[in-house]
Amino acid sequence: MQLFVDHLTNVDFSFLDGKRGLLGETWLANVVLHGELDQQGMVCDFGTVKKQIRRWLDEELDHRLAVPVRSPQIRIQDEGDFLEIYWAFGNKGEFLHTRSPRSAIALVDAQELTPESVADWCIAQLKTLFPESVARLELQFECEKIDGAFYHYSHGLKKHGGNCQRIAHGHRSRIDIWANQQKSAELEQLWAERWRDIYIGTREDIAEAFEDKGNTYYRFAYVSAQGAFELSLPQRCCYLIDTDSTVEFLAHHIANRSRAENPDKKIRVKAYEGINKGAIAEA
C-alpha cells in the first residue's frame, strides 16, 4: 500500500553549483510512504506525515545554504558553532567563501547537489521518524511550473527575527510586470536576465572589495541575532541595492528602475519570493 502527499511543503534555500556558483532555489516536496496497514487501516496518519516531514525540512534545509560535502571543489573548516566554507567554481578560478553559524548550513552527504541527491540525503534521516509499518519513504523535489520569466536569487536579511537573517539563502521566483496596464514579457525577461543566479547585496553590508587572481570580489559581513555572518563572492555575481533585500524593497526597486528606464510608461510590478507570496509596487 502507498500513501502520498503531493506538494506537502516547499523549501526556499541556496546551494553551491559547480558551474554557476551560488544558486537560490525553491523546491516543492512530494512524499510517498510504502507500508502495511496498521490497526487503524492506515499506512501512517496524514497528520503525522505532514507534521514530521514539514518540520524536518523547515529545520534542516529551508533557509539554509546547502553544500555538497563530498565534492572535490569544497573545503570545510569546522569551528564548532561556526563553519568556514571555501568553494571553487566555474572555469575562471573564481571562489566563494562564507563563515556562518552551523545552523545556517546544510551539510549534504553528496558530491553534487541535485533534486535527487538532496532527496536521498533527506530520506536517510527522515525514515527514522516513522513507525515500523512504514517500510519505505520516497521524497521527490520539483520546481514550480512557471509560464514566463523567473530568476534565482540569494540574499540575507540581517534585521529579520527568523531564519531570513542567514546571509546566503534564496528563492526561485516568478516576476510579473505591467507597462501602461499591459503585461510586458520584455521587461519580465529583462529582470530575469539581470537576476539570473544573482546575489542581491545591500551596499552598507559590504565590508570590502578586493581582487584575487584577476577576479574582483565583494565581502559582505554583518552580525544578527543568530551570530556573525560573512560571504565573499565575485562582483559579477552580485547586484547591489541601497536598502535591505526584503521582497517589498525588491518590488519597489524593480518598479522604480523600470520607470526610470521607460519614463513614458507607468509600471506595476508583482514580485514573488518563492511560491505564491511576494509584494506589489507601482511607479
Side-chain angles (χ1 to χ4, degrees), residues 48-256:
T48 300
V49 174
K50 292 178 181 179
K51 182 169 68 174
Q52 296 278 49
I53 296 180
R54 184 183 290 124
R55 178 189 297 165
W56 191 92
L57 290 173
D58 284 347
E59 292 177 354
E60 303 299 330
L61 184 59
D62 191 58
H63 284 74
R64 292 195 184 212
L65 171 62
V67 303
V69 299
R70 290 195 278 113
S71 171
Q73 297 173 236
I74 200 166
R75 187 168 83 251
I76 302 173
Q77 183 173 332
D78 191 335
E79 301 177 0
D81 292 336
F82 288 83
L83 293 172
E84 189 166 13
I85 295 167
Y86 293 87
W87 176 254
F89 66 94
N91 55 12
K92 299 180 180 178
E94 294 175 317
F95 69 86
L96 175 150
H97 166 259
T98 184
R99 184 179 184 274
S100 298
R102 179 181 290 272
S103 60
I105 308 295
L107 299 172
V108 181
D109 184 23
Q111 185 170 332
E112 179 183 3
L113 297 188
T114 65
E116 293 76 23
S117 67
V118 176
D120 288 343
W121 171 73
C122 294
I123 289 168
Q125 299 167 82
L126 281 167
K127 62 185 181 182
T128 63
L129 302 179
F130 291 94
E132 293 182 359
S133 58
V134 177
R136 183 161 61 92
L137 168 67
E138 293 180 31
L139 176 64
Q140 178 194 36
F141 290 118
E142 65 175 347
C143 293
E144 176 191 17
K145 292 178 175 60
I146 299 175
D147 296 325
F150 64 90
Y151 40 65
H152 299 262
Y153 73 88
S154 300
H155 67 150
L157 301 174
K158 61 182 178 294
K159 299 173 186 175
H160 192 264
N163 293 335
C164 290
Q165 67 189 262
R166 295 166 177 172
I167 201 167
H169 74 278
H171 315 272
R172 175 183 181 267
S173 305
R174 63 180 294 170
I175 176 72
D176 293 324
I177 302 177
W178 292 261
N180 289 342
Q181 300 182 339
Q182 298 295 316
K183 197 78 156 50
S184 177
E186 181 181 356
L187 284 175
E188 292 167 356
Q189 192 57 41
L190 172 65
W191 282 97
E193 292 296 329
R194 279 178 175 164
W195 284 2
R196 182 182 301 278
D197 303 350
I198 206 74
Y199 183 80
I200 301 178
T202 302
R203 283 190 173 88
E204 72 173 19
D205 296 335
I206 298 174
E208 66 172 326
F210 63 95
E211 184 175 330
D212 183 88
K213 298 179 181 177
N215 299 311
T216 56
Y217 295 81
Y218 288 124
R219 180 171 69 87
F220 299 92
Y222 57 73
V223 178
S224 65
Q226 291 185 5
F229 292 86
E230 291 187 20
L231 175 68
S232 297
L233 68 169
Q235 291 184 14
R236 69 170 185 84
C237 300
C238 302
Y239 184 98
L240 301 180
I241 60 175
D242 295 322
T243 63
D244 289 332
S245 54
T246 64
V247 71
E248 294 90 340
F249 278 132
L250 296 184
H252 184 72
H253 176 85
I254 293 170
N256 283 348

